[in-house]
Amino acid sequence: MQVFFVTILKETNARWLPVHAANAAAILQNAGLSNLDFSLLDLSFDEAAQSKKTPAELLSDSVYRQYAKNGKKQKIAVIFSLFSWNVAESLLCAEKIKEKAAKNGVNAGDLTFIAMGENVSARFECSKNVPAGDDLAVFDFLIAGEAETACLNLVKELLACEAGEKNAKSSVKNRIRFGIEENLEKLPSPWLGKVIDPVTYNGAVLQLSRAGAAPRNIPVPRIEKELEIFARKRVPDVFVLDDNFGANKDRALQFLRLFGKKLGGAHFCFNLNAQSIDKQLAAGLAQLACSLQIEFNNARNIDRKAFSKKIAVLNDFDLAFGFNLVYGAPNDTLPSFKESVDFALSLYPNNLEFCRFNAVNGSRNYQNAQKAGLKIENKPPYFVQHAPTFSSGDLVKAEHLAFACDVFYSCGRAVGWFLPVLQPLRIKPSQFLTDFAEWQRCNNCAQNTGFNPNFCSHQELERMQLSFLQFKYEEKHLSYAIPAMADMVRLNGALARLWGEGEESVLELSYNPEDIMSPEAANILAFVDQACMEDCKIRTFIGDDGPDFEFL
């Protein structure tokens, strides 16, 4: 039997690696089953876009190409890992594999489709029955919960059918399989078993624990060995998978020391709860090259003063962090979403990541959404369509605002200058970004045009930023401050490219760069009144102490 683990990834980076599939594949490998070959096949949306094809087209081609390579003699099991962002494309991929198999004479009984992953598990949070309107009918089997052992047992049953020349779909019972909480002491590592290679992905995911009835920890000796592999392979980026990192302070600090010792040259990314932040944890994190992603609830539902104090600790230690924001949740409104954006940006995050509220039928989120009167799509990605407090029109406005923020602020690396540059305009960040969204629509670079900031260089985005800022400054009769504003944007952008890509720049500025980087420049209008213009040409470069510049 040939088993294909297929995963459509959200993005091409260490955070979105196919570890769910790799964990299931590792237990198959560890079982030493005969007459079994398995492959991991994955592709991100942005990788597919670069080839001007869809992930479904490319992955279905890969599955059939590998099957044909082996002589088309074995039965096939295709196992998809489903998440909210890839369900629709995974369904298309399964249908395309089915079509290719039928066109090439493959017996339908020799092809089995299996689905596992967070989206499958969510469907059975409130009941063990398939929710009404089952949109996963293309899959012969569904695995809910932790999938490793359940996947192994199902594959064993399919292999038994193959040996007895039976039709798996009619012989193997129980379409829905429920995974057990795995014993992490015995679970094999996909990294140690070479099921997945960090070199292929230029990054790795390091899992420290799993949630459940009670949190369970991955054994430290296994983690140490995985870190040693990452060090040998010079892995540049590691995403730490631990929902409760920092909750146990001693354990978190122990790991931070271990990461520094074993893999000090890598960049680590952590998901962090703001409640766990204190000076001791921040000091430990500051010893690593790292970034943090922090859940950010509706600004009207949090203690802003307490939250601001926690984030101030991160800024005191010069730690890079971003926020995750959801809009359209029960009781959320467009004004409260804008308020959340304004509050979040006031704390100087490096990035904001947005998601429209979504909930699949059968999940607790769906149940709560129904009680609150939300209308949810009955097809993937199961987004909220409208709510008593958030109309469909307002949801579209929120989506445009979120995309504008992603382009201008996050991808535009604007954290260093965004608030000072907005101050003379006397405008809230959310309104500025709403205006930018309208500017995008007028300039054919809105989301519905297919514009993707991830496919643009930072310099291209910077030109877009400066064009819009010049328009806003002129609108407010602030033309005299444009040279100082532009110098601040361009100098910070050049330094950001030095940090990010090691890219040197040559800039012609209207003010002395030391003045532009001084605290006085944070108040642009006062700076323009007091500072002398000093036309100059500089080159940015990486010096002994980091980014630097010299006059030309």
Side-chain angles (χ1 to χ4, degrees):
M1 172 180 281
Q2 283 183 264
V3 176
F4 296 100
F5 289 93
V6 176
T7 309
I8 297 172
L9 307 174
K10 190 173 184 179
E11 295 175 14
T12 307
N13 60 49
R15 187 175 175 185
W16 304 107
L17 299 192
V19 289
H20 193 267
N23 282 331
I27 202 169
L28 293 189
Q29 176 180 266
N30 204 52
L33 302 174
S34 57
N35 301 318
L36 176 72
D37 296 314
F38 69 84
S39 303
L40 267 66
L41 300 174
D42 53 79
L43 194 72
S44 67
F45 284 99
D46 48 344
E47 285 174 322
Q50 288 179 329
S51 66
K52 297 185 179 179
K53 288 189 176 182
T54 67
E57 291 172 319
L58 294 168
L59 286 170
S60 60
D61 286 344
S62 295
V63 167
Y64 192 77
R65 190 163 53 247
Q66 288 204 28
Y67 173 64
K69 189 177 178 181
N70 289 345
K72 305 182 185 179
K73 295 178 181 178
Q74 295 175 302
K75 294 191 177 184
I76 316 169
V78 187
I79 304 176
F80 285 83
S81 296
L82 300 189
F83 303 89
S84 60
W85 61 82
N86 72 5
V87 177
E89 196 67 19
S90 296
L91 291 171
L92 283 174
C93 185
E95 293 290 356
K96 286 184 177 295
I97 294 169
K98 219 173 188 178
E99 289 171 11
K100 290 179 190 294
K103 285 179 182 177
N104 289 276
V106 178
N107 189 318
D110 292 340
L111 182 59
T112 302
F113 289 102
I114 302 165
M116 60 184 186
E118 288 179 6
N119 184 266
V120 178
S121 301
R123 296 163 188 264
F124 299 96
E125 287 178 347
C126 299
S127 170
K128 290 198 172 183
N129 298 317
V130 178
D134 178 18
D135 59 341
L136 302 184
V138 68
F139 296 107
D140 303 296
F141 299 97
L142 306 176
I143 301 175
E146 296 185 26
E148 290 89 351
T149 298
C151 182
L152 173 61
N153 291 337
L154 177 54
V155 168
K156 284 179 178 178
E157 293 177 51
L158 296 175
L159 282 170
C161 288
E162 183 178 43
E165 298 186 357
K166 296 178 182 178
N167 186 311
K169 296 176 185 179
S170 58
S171 302
V172 178
K173 307 300 179 185
N174 301 324
R175 179 182 179 233
I176 305 166
R177 307 296 178 102
F178 293 96
I180 60 170
E181 287 198 357
E182 301 287 352
N183 181 346
L184 302 188
E185 297 282 343
K186 297 181 179 178
L187 205 62
S189 163
W191 304 108
L192 300 182
K194 300 181 180 179
V195 169
I196 184 170
D197 186 354
V199 174
T200 303
Y201 299 94
N202 202 32
V205 171
L206 185 67
Q207 187 167 24
L208 304 184
S209 70
R210 284 191 185 179
R216 291 155 294 144
N217 296 329
I218 301 285
V220 173
R222 166 180 154 173
I223 293 169
E224 289 179 328
K225 290 177 183 176
E226 289 176 337
L227 286 168
E228 288 166 4
I229 286 178
F230 301 160
R232 282 200 302 274
K233 302 211 170 189
R234 299 174 185 247
V235 172
D237 292 295
V238 178
F239 178 71
V240 179
L241 188 57
D242 188 330
D243 292 336
N244 295 301
F245 190 82
N248 182 326
K249 201 61 52 69
D250 291 339
R251 179 174 175 271
L253 293 172
Q254 175 194 357
F255 274 122
L256 293 176
R257 288 190 291 269
L258 181 63
F259 298 161
K261 178 182 177 183
K262 296 282 188 181
L263 197 62
H267 178 274
F268 289 83
C269 182
F270 300 85
N271 277 337
L272 205 61
N273 187 313
Q275 296 301 318
S276 64
I277 298 170
D278 63 14
K279 289 184 178 180
Q280 191 178 16
L281 182 63
L285 289 164
Q287 301 306 306
L288 299 174
C290 70
S291 56
L292 317 171
Q293 279 299 124
I294 300 167
E295 291 301 320
F296 188 97
N297 294 318
N298 189 310
R300 294 182 180 180
N301 298 332
I302 61 175
D303 182 337
R304 297 194 195 191
K305 188 175 181 180
F307 189 85
S308 298
K309 284 183 178 179
K310 293 286 187 180
I311 301 305
V313 173
L314 302 181
N315 283 318
D316 287 343
F317 282 88
D318 291 325
L319 288 165
F321 63 90
F323 294 131
N324 301 325
L325 281 80
V326 176
Y327 61 91
N331 302 317
D332 197 6
T333 66
L334 181 59
S336 71
F337 173 59
K338 288 183 174 182
E339 201 174 317
S340 295
V341 171
D342 291 334
F343 178 52
L345 291 175
S346 75
L347 301 174
Y348 294 90
N350 281 61
N351 63 287
L352 298 184
E353 293 192 8
F354 296 94
C355 179
R356 185 190 286 210
F357 180 81
N358 65 84
V360 66
N361 193 1
S363 68
R364 281 186 286 273
N365 274 348
Y366 187 87
Q367 197 174 68
N368 294 335
Q370 291 288 95
K371 290 177 181 177
L374 276 67
K375 174 67 176 175
I376 305 291
E377 287 178 312
N378 59 6
K379 60 183 181 180
Y382 318 104
F383 284 146
V384 57
Q385 293 177 303
H386 61 80
T389 60
F390 220 131
S391 70
S392 56
D394 282 350
L395 284 166
V396 171
K397 291 176 183 176
E399 185 176 15
H400 291 164
L401 168 56
F403 184 68
C405 186
D406 185 45
V407 174
F408 193 98
Y409 186 89
S410 300
C411 295
R413 308 179 195 180
V415 59
W417 53 261
F418 184 74
L419 293 180
V421 161
L422 256 63
Q423 186 184 31
L425 299 173
R426 299 181 182 276
I427 188 173
K428 289 182 178 180
S430 60
Q431 186 56 55
F432 175 85
L433 293 168
T434 297
D435 293 348
F436 180 65
E438 180 62 33
W439 184 89
Q440 286 182 290
R441 287 192 288 277
C442 294
N443 287 273
N444 200 36
C445 55
Q447 191 171 17
N448 61 4
T449 66
F451 175 75
N452 188 335
N454 295 309
F455 296 158
C456 296
S457 70
H458 179 253
Q459 286 184 318
E460 289 177 285
L461 294 177
E462 184 177 273
R463 286 193 288 271
M464 186 183 293
Q465 290 167 329
L466 287 169
S467 178
F468 180 66
L469 283 166
Q470 180 172 334
F471 165 73
K472 295 301 289 184
Y473 268 59
E474 288 173 348
E475 181 184 61
K476 296 285 187 175
H477 308 293
L478 296 170
S479 298
Y480 67 95
I482 289 175
M485 173 273 291
D487 279 5
M488 181 177 287
V489 172
R490 294 174 63 236
L491 182 54
N492 275 278
L495 295 174
R497 291 191 294 276
L498 268 180
W499 276 116
E501 293 85 31
E503 177 187 323
E504 295 185 358
S505 302
V506 174
L507 303 177
E508 292 184 1
L509 303 174
S510 299
Y511 290 86
N512 187 305
E514 292 179 353
D515 292 340
I516 287 292
M517 298 304 292
S518 69
E520 287 74 19
N523 185 330
I524 288 181
L525 297 187
F527 174 80
V528 170
D529 285 341
Q530 297 168 13
C532 294
M533 295 185 78
E534 186 180 335
D535 290 344
C536 57
K537 189 175 184 179
I538 66 166
R539 178 179 74 92
T540 60
F541 63 95
I542 296 289
D544 294 337
D545 299 320
D548 204 346
F549 63 86
E550 64 180 2
F551 290 93
L552 298 177

